[in-house]
Amino acid sequence: MPDSSAVQQRILALTERLHQLNHQYYQLDISEVPDQEFDQMLAELHQLETDYPDLALPNSPTRRVGGTITKQFPTAVHRYPMLSLGNTYSEDDLREFDERVQRGLEGAPYSYVCELKIDGVAMSLRYEHGQLVQGVTRGDGTRGDVVTANVRTIRTLPLALRPGPDQPEDFEVRGEVFMPLPVFAELNAEREQNGEPLLANPRNAASGTLKLQNSAQVAARKLRFYAYSLLTPGRHFASHSAALEALSRYGLPVSDTWRRCANITEVLDFVHYWAKQRHEFPVATDGIVIKVDDLRQQDQLGYTAKSPRWAIAYKYPAEAARTRLNEVIYNVGRTGAVTPVALLTPVPLAGTVVKRATLHNANQIELLDLRLGDLVYVEKGGEIIPKITGVDLAARPADAVPIQYPTLCPACATPLVRPEGEAHFRCPNERGCPPQLKARLEHYVSRRALNIDGLGAETVGRFFDLGLVTTPADIYDLPARRAELVTLERLGEKSIDNLIAGIEASKQVPFPRVLFGLGIRYVGETVAQKLAAHYRTIDALMVASAEEMAAVPEVGGVIAVAAAHWFQQPENQALIERLRQAGVQLAVTGEAPVPASDRLAGLTFVISGVFESHSREELQQVIISNGGKITGSISKKLSYLVAGDNMGPAKREKALALKVPIISETELMALLPSSEDEPAVSEENVIAATGLGSQGELFS
Ligand code: IVH
């Protein structure tokens, strides 16, 4: 029998890898390994957890909603299949499309509607009696994932429609869910701050977001929706344009960029206009959709096996430019990750001049077989971050130089490491590598962390270069070194006063932001808040094991291992000691947000489905910290089934058959003491609200 520390190691390794693969799959839309391999790892982990229950981590990937990646959402069959459009890249093809339409309609007059082709995720929404009842992804066109709880978080999407005399009782709205470009840019900036990999484009960001299990997280991502068609069993409107107008009247968001076009010449004018103009539009678009307006004529033209004959998508050519690769430099980030950046001969592309492009990592350089001096193709990924997509091999100069990926850190010459399964090389010299130290200081003073007035990234960087500060704790020694600061160029008395006042004020910044500011790998704002809320003081956090931390909602095994490792380092312990001496907030003040009590002692709960305001882990935590127990299966002895959206019908039926009360997340919360330690509602009210009836004795 293997010793338990070997088992523990294996559990940690599997957990870490599975969390990473899940993250890649859901957030980045990358499948690094085949599903089968994923399932094998999951099965192995599950077996180890069964054999060694004491070593099982509470946030194990085996405990995710639905168990595996393929079972995250229930699926539904589309009433009307979700077809795709024929694509074209040339104006000649558009003219041919028009000729086919003309022939198909046998000379009858017709007109078109042109719309922007939004680059997001197709969504089918069902409205019954004016109420949003279901949201389903395209899936394979016949069957898609039911993501109702997630689409409900889209603020601009009405849950109830404005009534209108011509509103069908039961209809479907098709449209595109997307992430606006500014939201995407903000999300990536935040990920960069947290040392997380960037999302490639807004479409991946939108599809990854829709696949999140926690709809509260989805809500934070600010997705949007544009409707582009309305489907009813019979024909309800005479034309597509009338249906678009009706959708707007009902309160559904329809982009006002659509136009009626009398003929193909007007269609081409529309295409030309948006070729440039779309770069000013705050939503990623990749073309124009052209539809025959009259619905009777649409029926007359009909469908091929895959797509309608009455519509076509004109795709703008991916904006690419060819330019010379002159040099590759290597940036070292806050967490030591090394990112190669290509320096190019400046070239105009989609409205800006591109001089640099990201190469992501060493794999990318190998895949593209890049050489210095090559002519390369640059594209704007999701219209934002330029990337190198290919090499003009025919034009390769004889003296093109193969790129030697560095083996030593370009900043501090420490040998680089590449942790198993990671794409990036890393410089492990956390304590001494200048760009890492500097980036950590910049992070510490940044707006979302300690937000030190008068000490921006630039100033702190300058102080670092001058040897005035190396770690965040050194910042608090600056006021005593006023005389030295005065001698610095470009730093007047007034700026110094401002700086000192800012440093003083930062001592009042709440603990979660200080914890975030420490720059622990993977500990972003949300995780910092969760850890702070759970442990309340840095001292409690410093002695917590990785296993314990992994039990905190939203803190997975990977994060917990990184955080525990960070707190074990003597120099980090010394840093915290100095911050404490300086008077920085290292504990939460005020009430604990998750009330702890024995209110649920003796009660057992099953949690099922997806919830609006809490993740399942949070609900579990709430139940456990109030003395309740979680179980997996429904039996007569079960106290409550806590039901969210998309709960399987079998569970509901079983609970009903065994007379197990089914309650919502709000009703669960109502069972708990409020923060003033009074019951949130009287017991009678709880019983009335939950319809528990004779189950009331559970409280006695
Ligand atoms: S109409 C029968 N209109 O482009 C097909 N599609 O293959 C009906 N899209 O993923 C689609 N903007 O989600 C239509 N204004 C628009 C669109 C649009 C984006 C997407 C659609 C689908 C793809 C078409």
Side-chain angles (χ1 to χ4, degrees):
M1 183 168 165
D3 73 71
S4 85
S5 84
V7 174
Q8 186 165 26
Q9 290 255 315
R10 183 66 187 151
I11 287 183
L12 269 176
L14 283 168
T15 302
E16 199 164 324
R17 181 76 177 129
L18 287 163
H19 276 311
Q20 185 192 29
L21 291 171
N22 264 333
H23 168 78
Q24 290 181 348
Y25 185 86
Y26 289 110
Q27 265 83 303
L28 313 179
D29 259 12
I30 300 171
S31 302
E32 194 189 310
V33 300
D35 286 2
Q36 198 190 346
E37 197 174 318
F38 180 96
D39 289 342
Q40 267 168 12
M41 280 191 271
L42 199 69
E44 188 193 344
L45 181 59
H46 195 254
Q47 191 57 50
L48 288 174
E49 288 173 345
T50 316
D51 296 345
Y52 302 88
D54 292 348
L55 297 181
L57 296 174
N59 252 3
S60 164
T62 56
R63 300 200 185 181
R64 248 187 186 294
V65 185
T68 69
I69 49 179
T70 49
K71 291 186 195 146
Q72 295 281 319
F73 293 102
T75 59
V77 174
H78 293 296
R79 277 200 195 168
Y80 320 99
M82 284 184 89
L83 302 175
S84 56
L85 292 171
N87 285 330
T88 158
Y89 292 87
S90 82
E91 294 187 11
D92 284 348
D93 284 354
L94 277 188
R95 289 183 205 280
E96 278 175 28
F97 164 74
D98 181 51
E99 282 161 20
R100 286 197 301 276
V101 168
Q102 201 170 2
R103 278 198 303 276
L105 296 177
E106 296 163 342
Y110 58 92
S111 60
Y112 292 111
V113 165
C114 286
E115 295 161 12
L116 291 184
K117 187 166 184 296
I118 309 289
D119 197 10
V121 182
M123 180 61 56
S124 167
L125 303 173
R126 177 118 168 245
Y127 280 91
E128 281 174 13
H129 303 287
Q131 304 292 316
L132 174 66
V133 293
Q134 197 178 49
V136 185
T137 63
R138 180 167 187 276
D140 62 6
T142 308
R143 180 188 276 279
D145 286 333
V146 180
V147 290
T148 317
N150 286 351
V151 290
R152 275 171 180 281
T153 67
I154 300 174
R155 296 267 172 91
T156 52
L157 190 67
L159 302 181
L161 298 179
R162 268 185 241 142
D166 63 349
Q167 195 173 108
E169 244 179 38
D170 179 357
F171 65 101
E172 248 178 76
V173 177
R174 297 269 167 93
E176 203 80 353
V177 172
F178 60 93
M179 182 175 282
L181 291 171
V183 176
F184 173 70
E186 198 183 316
L187 178 67
N188 258 351
E190 207 177 302
R191 293 175 72 92
E192 194 164 24
Q193 276 263 321
N194 296 346
E196 294 168 304
L198 300 189
L199 298 168
N201 56 49
R203 179 168 33 81
N204 284 7
S207 79
T209 302
L210 276 175
K211 289 181 197 162
L212 291 173
Q213 288 295 319
N214 178 351
S215 24
Q217 276 175 8
V218 180
R221 293 273 186 98
K222 298 185 191 143
L223 294 179
R224 296 270 304 273
F225 175 82
Y226 275 144
Y228 55 65
S229 63
L230 188 162
L231 300 172
T232 52
R235 190 178 308 112
H236 209 79
F237 298 94
S239 64
H240 177 63
S241 49
L244 288 179
E245 281 160 357
L247 284 170
S248 296
R249 274 201 308 282
Y250 304 160
L252 281 151
V254 176
S255 166
D256 60 9
T257 48
W258 69 272
R259 290 289 174 274
R260 230 182 256 114
C261 293
N263 50 47
I264 192 71
T265 313
E266 286 189 20
V267 167
L268 290 171
D269 287 346
F270 188 92
V271 166
H272 295 152
Y273 174 79
W274 282 104
K276 279 217 178 69
Q277 207 56 34
R278 71 195 185 102
H279 299 304
E280 309 295 320
F281 197 61
V283 180
T285 55
D286 60 349
I288 301 295
V289 181
I290 299 122
K291 303 172 179 174
V292 169
D293 192 23
D294 187 294
L295 296 187
R296 213 184 292 265
Q297 291 183 333
Q298 286 191 1
D299 286 349
Q300 197 180 336
L301 290 163
Y303 297 81
T304 69
K306 281 193 301 192
S307 48
R309 288 202 182 87
W310 45 263
I312 195 162
Y314 171 83
K315 297 252 241 175
Y316 289 112
E319 304 228 7
R322 204 177 65 139
T323 187
R324 185 85 57 198
L325 170 64
N326 298 318
E327 197 185 341
V328 175
I329 57 167
Y330 301 87
N331 278 346
V332 183
R334 174 161 61 83
T335 59
V338 176
T339 311
V341 176
L343 302 186
L344 309 164
T345 300
V347 61
L349 176 62
T352 55
V353 174
V354 174
K355 303 188 199 79
R356 294 166 160 246
T358 172
L359 281 163
H360 298 295
N361 53 51
N363 292 346
Q364 185 89 6
I365 296 179
E366 261 169 51
L367 274 174
L368 293 168
D369 181 27
L370 281 184
R371 313 257 169 108
L372 294 182
D374 269 340
L375 278 175
V376 295
Y377 297 100
V378 221
E379 283 181 21
K380 284 200 172 177
E383 314 290 323
I384 295 183
I385 314 160
K387 60 179 179 198
I388 293 186
T389 53
V391 181
D392 186 349
L393 285 176
R396 171 165 285 170
D399 58 353
V401 186
I403 294 167
Q404 293 287 339
Y405 205 88
T407 52
L408 302 181
C409 172
C412 70
T414 304
L416 297 179
V417 295
R418 187 183 204 164
E420 205 191 314
E422 282 194 19
H424 278 100
F425 278 95
R426 249 167 227 291
C427 167
N429 181 14
E430 291 163 25
R431 269 171 272 171
C433 178
Q436 292 187 53
L437 294 171
K438 195 165 167 174
R440 285 210 290 274
L441 284 167
E442 287 170 357
H443 174 73
Y444 187 81
V445 302
S446 68
R447 197 170 48 82
R448 291 191 153 109
L450 278 285
N451 189 22
I452 303 186
D453 256 357
L455 189 58
E458 203 185 317
T459 313
V460 86
R462 191 170 160 220
F463 285 2
F464 174 83
D465 293 339
L466 291 168
L468 281 166
V469 291
T470 313
T471 76
D474 299 334
I475 292 172
Y476 298 93
D477 295 340
L478 287 173
R481 301 172 71 175
R482 193 190 167 98
E484 268 171 90
L485 298 181
V486 179
T487 66
L488 297 180
E489 239 178 84
R490 286 183 286 138
L491 206 64
E493 294 273 351
K494 216 167 148 215
S495 324
I496 296 174
D497 288 344
N498 191 11
L499 177 96
I500 292 176
I503 293 173
E504 196 52 39
S506 77
K507 297 178 185 170
Q508 301 311 320
V509 167
F511 176 43
R513 277 170 53 195
V514 176
L515 186 55
F516 168 62
L518 293 175
I520 303 168
R521 197 168 166 210
Y522 305 121
V523 180
E525 280 172 296
T526 314
V527 171
Q529 278 162 10
K530 302 283 168 187
L531 285 173
H534 187 87
Y535 288 98
R536 317 214 18 98
T537 70
I538 203 145
D539 300 297
L541 199 47
M542 285 170 83
V543 296
S545 67
E547 287 82 347
E548 248 177 75
M549 273 191 242
V552 179
E554 316 252 342
V555 183
V558 183
I559 303 174
V561 168
H565 173 79
W566 193 93
F567 284 112
Q568 278 155 16
Q569 304 311 302
E571 72 278 5
N572 292 333
Q573 293 170 356
L575 167 69
I576 288 166
E577 234 12 79
R578 284 182 63 203
L579 291 176
R580 194 195 311 275
Q581 297 298 325
V584 173
Q585 300 290 319
L586 296 175
V588 173
T589 46
E591 284 300 307
V594 176
S597 75
D598 56 0
R599 183 64 64 94
L600 306 181
L603 301 182
T604 50
F605 295 79
V606 164
I607 304 178
S608 181
V610 179
F611 297 87
E612 289 262 332
S613 322
H614 301 86
S615 67
R616 284 160 57 98
E617 288 79 8
E618 281 169 335
L619 294 182
Q620 284 175 4
Q621 189 68 29
V622 159
I623 290 173
I624 292 165
S625 55
N626 285 282
K629 284 216 175 82
I630 312 281
T631 114
S633 60
I634 297 173
S635 71
K636 250 181 111 95
K637 286 195 217 132
L638 184 69
S639 312
Y640 298 102
L641 168 61
V642 188
D645 278 349
N646 302 337
M647 185 179 74
K651 276 213 170 99
R652 182 176 294 277
E653 272 164 33
K654 191 160 180 196
L656 288 174
L658 297 173
K659 298 210 167 58
V660 172
I662 303 176
I663 60 172
S664 69
E665 94 194 273
T666 321
E667 288 163 336
L668 169 67
M669 290 305 172
L671 296 176
L672 303 174
S674 72
S675 51
E676 290 88 45
D677 219 6
E678 287 293 318
V681 279
S682 75
E683 288 175 6
E684 278 154 20
N685 284 347
V686 171
I687 295 160
T690 53
L692 297 182
S694 62
Q695 295 283 339
E697 71 267 13
L698 288 168
F699 293 105
S700 57

